[in-house]
């Protein structure tokens, strides 16, 4: 089984709808991240969490919110989806060792907002 | 974290060494150089990281210049499965998430 899972893998929705993307991990890591990727570009950080009680905004948090329900779960919500949020979304985890800093990524969720 | 500059694309013949350069002229003393790659639209995958010394693992070698202003990722015998976007990232040892640029698209040609 995959260490970092994302659901759904693909989603098509309409403008104005509320959408939740879910991420679960079995690696026992405290740190979790949400990134988005647009065609031809690198990943941009949306939100990150260093433990259950910690939530931090990333580079492009506007229009998004997150919830860290447990150590293993980190959800990303789009309260009112708009077309320019169409993108590939990745969840990632890492341990608390700042030097190693290896991040493990999920398979991604492809979101299309019509 | 210091910015990095990478060529947008490179080609490499299958079986040859792929040498991917990265400039990070503003790197500070406590910042590490990380390399990740992303195959097609999969999640990025960690390759290697280093501070000052050259590093080698089962996937690649990382050569960091003495002044640390640039580095090279070496895939010793590139295969078609190494075709991917390769990201060079500079990151401090503190609590900072990885910041991805556009990377280098490596195409391994048969």
């Amino acid at each position: 089984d995959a260490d970092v899972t994302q659901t759904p893998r693909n989603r098509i929705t309409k403008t104005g709808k509320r959408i939740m993307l879910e991420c679960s991990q079995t690696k026992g890591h405290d740190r979790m991240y949400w990134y988005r990727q647009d065609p031809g570009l690198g990943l941009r950080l949306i939100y990150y969490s260093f433990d259950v009680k910690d939530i931090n905004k990333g580079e492009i948090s506007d229009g998004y919110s997150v919830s860290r329900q447990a150590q293993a779960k980190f959800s990303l919500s789009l309260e009112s989806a708009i077309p320019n949020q169409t993108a590939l979304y990745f969840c990632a985890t890492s341990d608390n060792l700042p030097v190693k800093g290896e991040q493990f990524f999920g398979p991604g969720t492809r979101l299309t907002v019509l | 974290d210091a910015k990095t500059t990478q060529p947008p694309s490179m080609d490499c013949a299958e079986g040859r060494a792929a040498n991917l350069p990265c400039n990070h002229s503003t790197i500070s003393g406590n910042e590490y150089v990380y390399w990740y790659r992303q195959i097609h639209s999969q999640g990025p995958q960690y390759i290697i990281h280093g501070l000052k010394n050259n590093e080698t693992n089962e996937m690649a070698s990382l050569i960091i210049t003495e002044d640390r202003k640039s580095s090279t990722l070496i895939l010793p015998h590139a295969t078609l499965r190494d075709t991917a976007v390769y990201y060079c990232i500079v990151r401090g040892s503190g609590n900072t998430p990885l910041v991805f640029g556009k990377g280098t698209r490596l195409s391994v040609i048969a």
Side-chain angles (χ1 to χ4, degrees):
Chain A
D1 288 340
D3 295 320
V4 183
T5 57
Q6 294 184 231
T7 55
R9 294 293 311 280
N10 290 282
R11 181 71 184 267
I12 299 174
T13 190
K14 295 182 179 179
T15 297
K17 294 291 187 181
R18 184 178 187 273
I19 292 294
M20 179 180 287
L21 309 183
E22 300 190 2
C23 177
S24 295
Q25 51 112 348
T26 59
K27 298 192 71 67
H29 289 165
D30 284 330
R31 300 182 177 191
M32 299 187 74
Y33 312 82
W34 275 105
Y35 291 87
R36 72 173 272 177
Q37 186 173 32
D38 297 282
L41 301 180
L43 283 72
R44 290 185 292 167
L45 185 65
I46 306 173
Y47 271 96
Y48 61 103
S49 168
F50 283 167
D51 64 41
V52 175
K53 298 179 182 178
D54 176 76
I55 300 290
N56 303 280
K57 292 183 177 180
E59 178 187 355
I60 53 164
S61 59
D62 287 349
Y64 302 94
S65 63
V66 291
S67 173
R68 185 79 185 268
Q69 302 96 318
Q71 185 203 40
K73 296 184 182 296
F74 192 35
S75 299
L76 176 72
S77 293
L78 290 67
E79 296 300 326
S80 180
I82 56 177
N84 76 1
Q85 291 177 314
T86 293
L88 188 54
Y89 290 83
F90 289 103
C91 173
T93 75
S94 69
D95 61 25
N96 290 337
L97 299 176
V99 173
K100 180 67 185 295
E102 180 180 354
Q103 291 185 195
F104 296 85
F105 286 82
T109 294
R110 188 171 296 279
L111 177 66
T112 302
V113 183
L114 301 177
Chain B
D1 294 332
K3 290 189 180 297
T4 62
T5 302
Q6 299 177 253
S9 64
M10 294 181 63
D11 292 338
C12 177
E14 188 178 20
R16 304 297 294 269
N19 297 282
L20 292 94
C22 180
N23 287 322
H24 31 79
S25 58
T26 61
I27 193 169
S28 60
N30 65 345
E31 289 182 316
Y32 287 72
V33 180
Y34 292 81
W35 283 84
Y36 279 72
R37 75 179 183 183
Q38 185 177 24
I39 297 174
H40 194 44
S41 295
Q42 298 176 20
Q45 174 192 24
Y46 167 85
I47 301 173
I48 200 167
H49 77 285
L51 181 63
K52 290 190 291 188
N53 299 323
N54 298 337
E55 303 287 345
T56 295
N57 63 21
E58 64 279 3
M59 290 182 67
S61 295
L62 174 60
I63 308 298
I64 302 174
T65 57
E66 192 170 344
D67 64 7
R68 303 209 322 123
K69 292 184 177 182
S70 65
S71 60
T72 301
L73 178 75
I74 301 173
L75 309 178
H77 304 287
T79 71
L80 298 179
R81 287 177 292 182
D82 292 321
T83 292
V85 177
Y86 288 77
Y87 298 99
C88 170
I89 301 168
V90 169
R91 175 180 174 268
S93 59
N95 293 326
T96 53
L98 297 172
V99 177
F100 289 79
K102 294 183 180 180
T104 295
R105 181 173 298 277
L106 175 69
S107 297
V108 180
I109 303 167

